Amino acid sequence: MDVDIWAWVGETQQQLSEAGNVGLAMALGDLPAQAYEGRYPQLDVMAPAIAQQAEALELPWLEFYARYWHLVGRIGDRAQGAVAIDDAQQLLAFAEREDVRDCPSTPAAVEALAVAWANTDGPGYAAQRLELLGRHLDGLSPERPAFAGLVTQYVSALTDAGRADEAVAYAESAVERLRIAGHDASWDLGAESARALLAAGRAEDALDALQAASGFKADDPVAKEHRDGVRRALILASLGRMSESVDALPDLDVVGDHPRVFVEWSRAVSLLAPSGKITNTWQLGRVLRQWIDYFGMMGGYRARVELALVAGDLAVGRQGVWQARLLADLAESGAAELRETGGLAERVAALRAAADATSEPEAPGPLAERVAYFDAADGFNADPEKWVGWLAPLSGEDLEATRRHTTTLGFLGYPAAGADIYWKLLVDGGGIASADPDDVAYLTTLLVEARQDERLEQMAAMLPHALQHLTLARLHSARERWAETVDAAEHAVAAGAGIEARRLLAGAAQQLDQNARAAQVLAEVMDELTEEDVWRMVVMATSAEDWDTVRKGAAKIGMPIKSTEGPIEEEMGLIRVILPGPDGGQRQVLSIRTGPATARLALPQPRGMEYNAGDLVVFDPQLLEPVPEDPKEQQNFVPPFAAVRILRPGGYTSYFFDGAAPSEEDWAEFTEVMAERGWPMWVYSDENYTVTHPTSGERLPGVYGWVAVPPSVSPSEVDALLDDATERWVHPLAWLDLAREIDVEVERHERIVKEYGL
């Protein structure tokens, strides 16, 4: 995005703050960081909220800004493909509107659509990408900030079109044009040039190009290091420099959160595996299978096929013949979704031939004893991939073998294959109506994971009443259809389906905010509940203010409660309650635990927040951090818990104060005055915060924070107390928002803010 726009961003933040949209103002400048740092839950909440607010305020540039960064968070590191194309096309259409097109950053919408097409099927959309990008690059000056990004995508499209030599020449020309204009190329352009050189068979030159780009800035600075490492490792492996490649290759735990590099990382690993420099394990195969499914969901059709072929080759290397064949089938079916399939049929055929030419690993014992050997295997060291092959001859015939074989298939990422075998044995074999409930549960899990909902509903119709509705409740719960889950689970409970049906019913009822009902479902079978069940019941009962049930639950788990009736209001120590922040992140609020699952917030929060000091909060009693083992650390440990809901607002109002810090004596007196009145006060500034001396210009230690007052205290009382408490300070304190609210000494507070640079 155009760097010149940041001044506009700052102005817009100020406008939003003045309009009372503090949360949106705080989040606005953070959107790029959310996109680059992978804070996607925040981004997915805040970007649409800002876009909606911008539309309401008739600020189209702001709407474009929010929609653009949300899209970048999806098509960048997350590498979303077909699922993002419509949004990218709509953003481009929006950018071409008369009231938006003058925004200096609208060319970014062109780049975004090209990226979404590339993520979906790079070669298949190569012609469209070249046409779109070429049209916008025609006559575009290299001095424009959009130039490097559009050129990078044009080079990528040429490479995907099989025109690698042209891509190299185009990149070199663009770099020269940037140099003449006094600008450096981006790292992204250099890395894309290296990819083109590698595709052209010039691996040494590719390595040189990547090295030359290492000092350039990246469009996504957070991702630069691991992206550079993956591409460098791939080039080095192509050159046969295996040790250097291994050193450059980021670990799986680094790249596992970055889908954009999945395919290149896997290719590098496939080149390294035969050398023995990297271990080709079943765990690797399982991860690649998960990545394949990810791209299936995100519409990354080309990446899905490429990963299937790479994973298939690696499976052959592990003698995973069954897996290689399934991956060949997957690649073949996936190719049908591609717009260009040149060479894929030959690669699929080669994979199948390699699988046919590979011998299965030798089994550990006779066929008749395989199940016993499986059960006796070391759960930590056993290779489930091998066991799938060893159990296959028995699966579908022997029930015990089928159970182990199909569930292991599901564990490795092939639930559909496992479901087919189980289905043939139980459903096609006519025994589903009298099947063991565990077998029904296993098959249900496989069908859910394979997303074969219609097939699962077909099976449920063949089951006895209780098991039928329990099975449907499992399906609805997995798909987060809460009303349907409640309906099915109620039928299952009534038919005596047991504790699982009650758990499903309670969980779904809680999601529908029917907490009293949810708690009662579990309370009816208190003796059957585990400790985890009891805590869930306590949370639900607390939300419903069913204090009798809360006390019964507390007694069940051995937690003493002093009072015997009514709301539980006791002091049980300090905790940290984790609540959502206005930027989509999280805030930790020091609180006083008042019950098994309740706490009263102790710290004042800025205006515009949905909670404040004095609010009574329901929290989930499951610790979010382990208790430290060190006894000294335990003394200072304040346990953190996730907030569930606000049970009762305290009605407190917060007021902001800011200024030069007083002496320690004056500050101690100030905090004592607040404490005497029971007004929660908290300093949000740190030791680095300074203000300007109005006459000398020297930097003075500063202090700012919030004070919260109960609903019985008027704003005028707060103003009067602050005035009295700070009148003897060497430097005055300002509370401008409060002064404006009551229209008292507004000019004085405005002068303090201006003179001290607050």
Side-chain angles (χ1 to χ4, degrees), residues 143-230:
E143 295 181 352
R144 290 288 303 276
F147 180 80
L150 295 180
V151 164
T152 300
Q153 291 308 312
Y154 197 86
V155 173
S156 174
L158 283 170
T159 304
D160 286 343
R163 297 156 60 182
D165 290 330
E166 288 182 59
V168 171
Y170 192 91
E172 290 174 348
S173 173
V175 170
E176 179 61 16
R177 292 179 64 190
L178 285 165
R179 187 192 65 77
I180 293 173
H183 295 283
D184 287 333
S186 66
W187 175 86
D188 304 78
L189 178 54
E192 199 56 47
S193 177
R195 186 172 84 96
L197 285 161
L198 184 62
R202 298 165 57 185
E204 288 284 3
D205 292 335
L207 189 61
D208 291 341
L210 193 61
Q211 184 59 39
S214 61
F216 296 150
K217 293 182 179 179
D219 291 341
D220 183 346
V222 177
K224 177 183 176 182
E225 183 177 358
H226 69 255
R227 291 182 68 197
D228 182 90
V230 168

Side-chain angles (χ1 to χ4, degrees), residues 421-437:
I421 297 168
Y422 231 139
W423 185 276
K424 184 177 180 181
L425 178 66
L426 293 182
V427 181
D428 292 345
I432 189 64
S434 58
D436 187 294

Side-chain angles (χ1 to χ4, degrees), residues 311-380:
D313 289 338
L314 288 165
V316 168
R318 298 190 301 271
Q319 295 179 279
V321 174
W322 67 267
Q323 189 172 25
R325 287 172 176 153
L326 286 176
L327 288 164
D329 292 342
L330 193 155
E332 185 174 53
S333 63
E337 297 174 304
L338 300 179
R339 299 161 63 94
E340 195 280 322
T341 59
L344 286 179
E346 293 79 5
R347 293 173 64 189
V348 170
L351 176 56
R352 288 203 171 104
D356 292 342
T358 301
S359 59
E360 298 270 8
E362 186 177 350
L367 186 61
E369 300 177 21
R370 295 278 169 86
V371 170
Y373 275 98
F374 178 93
D375 292 343
D378 182 346
F380 291 99

